[in-house]
């Protein structure tokens, strides 16, 4: 007598390809020499800057607000990070153009999942690292320098810097999905960032631009800020990032690789 074995339907996780791309890109980013150089440069610059100012305060007795020092440090970290992230993100997709069709897209991974996996992986890796380093900077400043920092102001300043870098990362991944080579992508991305920064300076004074937000960091770190205006700036930045990512996703889904 034949025994009929009932076969259970195989459950398929439709997000598994996205998760595979996400994990692969996180590992690739962590092994990248550009990422390691960025982290090392940030750590060395922070340690040197804080120890220098602590030495002046300890030896000379010159007391300066910690908000002034940390605002300068965050300003240059954001500017330098934006330049380095152009290199790190502009090659996220273009660097794999030669093997993408055979090794990735032919294995059941859609264009949308591939782009989203790359984008979210770069955001999670870079912004996670930046938030961790920024938190260590603020904690170190609290113990080493004059205590005029506000904890809620410090968190707001760190969040604003992360939002700005998130926009840079999104633009980098989008340009990487559009450009034909990494070098061309870096050039296009740097041109876009410089042009956007220049044009946003002509906004009316009641609107915040990235440069104006960075200039107000000393007051934000002290806890003196308008939460509504900062929230509006962060909301516009996130909206621009989402629109930019949508443009890159739409173009990448229709182009030849």
């Amino acid at each position: 007598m034949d025994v009929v074995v009932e076969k259970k339907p195989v459950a398929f996780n439709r997000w598994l390809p996205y998760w595979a791309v996400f994990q692969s890109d996180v590992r690739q980013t962590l092994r990248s020499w550009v990422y390691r150089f960025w982290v090392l440069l940030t750590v060395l610059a922070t340690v040197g800057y804080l120890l220098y100012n602590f030495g002046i305060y300890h030896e000379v007795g010159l007391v300066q607000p910690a908000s002034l020092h940390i605002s300068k440090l965050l300003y240059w970290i954001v500017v330098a990070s934006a330049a380095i992230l152009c290199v790190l993100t502009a090659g996220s997709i273009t660097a794999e153009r030669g093997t993408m069709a055979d090794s990735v897209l032919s294995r059941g991974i859609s264009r949308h999942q591939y782009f989203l996996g790359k984008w979210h992986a770069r955001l999670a890796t870079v912004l996670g690292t930046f938030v961790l380093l920024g938190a260590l900077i603020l904690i170190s400043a609290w113990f080493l320098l004059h205590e005029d920092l506000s904890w809620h102001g410090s968190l707001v300043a760190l969040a604003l810097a992360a939002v700005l870098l998130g926009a840079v990362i999104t633009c980098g991944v989008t340009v990487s999905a559009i450009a034909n080579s990494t070098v061309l992508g870096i050039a296009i991305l740097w041109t876009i960032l410089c042009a956007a920064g220049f044009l946003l300076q002509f906004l009316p004074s009641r609107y915040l631009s990235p440069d104006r937000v960075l200039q107000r960091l000393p007051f934000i770190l002290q806890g003196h800020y308008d939460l509504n205006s900062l929230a509006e700036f962060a909301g516009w930045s996130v909206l621009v990032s989402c629109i930019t990512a949508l443009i890159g996703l739409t173009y990448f889904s229709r182009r030849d690789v």
Side-chain angles (χ1 to χ4, degrees), residues 27-82:
R27 290 191 296 267
Q28 179 182 350
T29 303
L30 294 177
R31 291 195 298 263
S32 171
W33 68 268
V34 180
Y35 170 82
R36 296 180 180 182
F37 172 76
W38 170 62
V39 174
L40 180 62
L41 180 64
T42 303
V43 171
L44 292 179
T46 301
V47 172
Y49 186 79
L50 291 178
L51 290 180
Y52 172 76
N53 287 282
F54 175 74
I56 293 179
Y57 167 71
H58 183 72
E59 296 295 333
V60 183
L62 180 61
V63 178
Q64 291 182 331
S67 58
L68 180 62
H69 296 301
I70 300 305
S71 63
K72 291 181 180 179
L73 186 59
L74 283 178
Y75 178 87
W76 288 112
I77 286 177
V78 171
V79 173
S81 297

Side-chain angles (χ1 to χ4, degrees), residues 17-18 21 93 97 100-101 104-106 108-119 177 245 248-257:
Y18 160 83
V21 174
I93 296 178
R97 285 200 65 206
M100 190 186 307
V104 179
L105 298 181
S106 61
I109 301 177
S110 67
R111 302 285 186 93
H112 297 84
Q113 290 175 327
Y114 184 83
F115 180 89
L116 291 176
K118 287 285 187 177
W119 176 37
L249 179 62
T250 303
Y251 184 87
F252 182 67
S253 63
R254 298 179 180 180
R255 70 170 299 177
D256 294 331
V257 295

Side-chain angles (χ1 to χ4, degrees), residues 72-176:
K72 291 181 180 179
L73 186 59
L74 283 178
Y75 178 87
W76 288 112
I77 286 177
V78 171
V79 173
S81 297
I84 297 176
L85 292 181
C86 288
V87 182
L88 183 63
T89 58
S92 56
I93 296 178
T94 55
E96 299 181 354
R97 285 200 65 206
T99 59
M100 190 186 307
D102 295 333
S103 63
V104 179
L105 298 181
S106 61
R107 297 184 180 180
I109 301 177
S110 67
R111 302 285 186 93
H112 297 84
Q113 290 175 327
Y114 184 83
F115 180 89
L116 291 176
K118 287 285 187 177
W119 176 37
H120 294 161
R122 297 292 164 126
L123 284 176
T125 306
V126 177
L127 292 186
T129 304
F130 175 78
V131 170
L132 177 61
L133 294 176
L136 293 177
I137 291 173
L138 294 174
I139 293 174
S140 302
W142 183 267
F143 289 103
L144 293 178
L145 304 176
H146 186 60
E147 300 177 1
D148 73 326
L149 295 176
S150 169
W151 280 112
H152 59 87
S154 300
L155 293 177
V156 170
L158 188 61
L160 290 173
V163 167
L164 291 176
L165 291 182
V168 174
I169 296 169
T170 302
C171 291
V173 177
T174 298
V175 170
S176 181

Side-chain angles (χ1 to χ4, degrees), residues 178-190:
I178 297 175
N180 294 323
S181 66
T182 301
V183 176
L184 179 61
I186 295 173
I188 294 175
L189 178 58
W190 187 245

